[in-house]
Amino acid sequence: MAPKWRQLADEFAHQIRSGDLREGDALPQIRDLTAQGRGSTTTVQAAYRALENEGLVRIVRGRGTYVRRQRRRIVRQSQSRYQWEKDRALLPEDERRKTGVTEQETGLRTPQLAFHASYQVRKAPPEIAARFGVSPDAQMLHRHYRTSSRDDTAPVSLVDSWIPYSVAAKNPELLDSGREPWPGGTMHQLATVGVELGEITDTISARPPTAQETTALDLPPGTSILVLHKASYTVDGDLVEFSEVILPGDRVEFLYRIPLERWPTA
């Protein structure tokens, strides 16, 4: 049998996930639960800390424990995602404008999303220069993206993207952040300068967030972030775009379906 603090935590977790307790609702005061015989002060505190670590509540010292916003979970399926983006790059603009990959993954419509993009032309940092095989003073187009639902301030992800300036400058419109969100995304942007992608590699790791990342993504205590390094290569094998995507580990999962070849028959 689970310890008493775990039983108590599971009881409140069920009420939160079922909607009986909603965002902003206060959980009972610790002294009230102890008076009802639900457990000792130590037991109730352990239950509430577990709920906080699971991202279900926020403990406000001196005030109480409150239900957190239960954020939308996202399943990221890289194989189908990237092929879908590549296929869309060939569609007419009115078709490309109807939806994007973020809409597909969140289930939200475009008007329900808030997009923020900032662009900067700058010299390649050492790590980026090494990845692209260019000199450290090579000019790059650095793009930073944040996208969130309009009823939520925490973004879906934090994205830093790098494209050689010599590539992006072939179409001056690609240097204008005011054109975001671009219908068709990066795949179509590159298509406007004659670049077709032939391969994308994802490298995924996890680490503790920085203080800035914790605040930006509104992460519960103890939550790790997922770091996705996405490298996009042309059909000739040249790296043309590199992104670092910071994802909240409490609400993003990756799904891979990998077909396996059949064994040869005798």
Side-chain angles (χ1 to χ4, degrees):
M1 179 179 293
K4 197 166 185 178
W5 67 266
R6 185 67 261 178
Q7 295 178 46
L8 187 60
D10 288 345
E11 178 184 330
F12 283 117
H14 175 73
Q15 293 180 43
I16 293 169
R17 293 187 174 114
S18 67
D20 292 337
L21 286 173
R22 300 179 179 275
E23 177 188 356
D25 286 351
L27 271 61
Q29 293 288 332
I30 293 176
R31 62 176 177 272
D32 294 334
L33 289 177
T34 57
Q36 296 168 18
R38 303 297 304 279
S40 65
T41 298
T42 301
T43 295
V44 179
Q45 287 176 335
Y48 281 5
R49 281 197 300 270
L51 293 170
E52 183 183 41
N53 290 335
E54 292 161 19
L56 296 176
V57 304
R58 188 189 305 275
I59 298 175
V60 182
R61 200 172 297 275
R63 292 181 56 189
T65 302
Y66 301 89
V67 177
R68 287 175 60 99
R69 175 189 291 273
Q70 301 308 295
R71 292 196 162 90
R72 188 181 306 270
R73 290 193 63 82
I74 293 176
V75 178
R76 187 174 175 122
Q77 303 183 53
S78 293
Q79 298 104 312
S80 57
R81 170 194 176 103
Y82 295 145
Q83 187 60 56
W84 185 79
E85 286 184 288
K86 183 170 181 177
D87 293 342
R88 282 183 71 241
L90 300 178
L91 297 177
E93 183 174 340
D94 60 340
E95 288 295 318
R96 286 183 278 111
R97 284 193 179 278
K98 288 181 180 179
T99 189
V101 71
T102 302
E103 290 89 330
Q104 296 290 314
E105 289 181 341
T106 62
L108 299 172
R109 295 179 293 106
T110 303
Q112 295 175 290
L113 292 168
F115 299 92
H116 171 78
S118 60
Y119 287 12
Q120 182 183 12
V121 178
R122 53 180 294 196
K123 293 181 180 180
E127 179 189 346
I128 297 301
R131 287 185 179 276
F132 282 88
V134 297
S135 63
D137 60 351
Q139 283 195 313
M140 306 290 294
L141 177 63
H142 177 213
R143 308 181 299 176
H144 181 72
Y145 296 107
R146 293 170 57 122
T147 304
S148 62
S149 64
R150 292 193 178 277
D151 63 352
D152 191 352
T153 57
V156 174
S157 61
L158 305 173
V159 183
D160 281 286
S161 167
W162 301 84
I163 297 177
Y165 178 77
S166 59
V167 174
K170 292 177 181 178
N171 180 357
E173 292 184 349
L174 302 189
L175 306 177
D176 182 4
S177 63
R179 293 183 175 273
E180 295 287 355
W182 186 285
T186 298
M187 292 267 199
H188 183 267
Q189 289 177 323
L190 293 172
T192 67
V193 294
V195 173
E196 177 184 355
L197 296 187
E199 181 179 283
I200 295 177
T201 65
D202 282 354
T203 304
I204 305 163
S205 60
R207 62 168 171 80
T210 65
Q212 183 179 12
E213 291 163 343
T214 297
T215 300
L217 295 169
D218 193 20
L219 298 175
T223 301
S224 295
I225 58 169
L226 299 171
V227 181
L228 166 63
H229 284 169
K230 180 173 76 73
S232 300
Y233 297 89
T234 70
V235 291
D236 295 323
D238 298 321
L239 179 62
V240 71
E241 191 264 350
F242 174 79
S243 295
E244 180 175 83
V245 185
I246 305 298
L247 298 156
D250 63 325
R251 49 191 184 269
V252 174
E253 62 184 76
F254 286 82
L255 173 62
Y256 289 92
R257 293 187 176 91
I258 303 172
L260 303 177
E261 294 185 5
R262 294 290 302 271
W263 284 323
T265 56

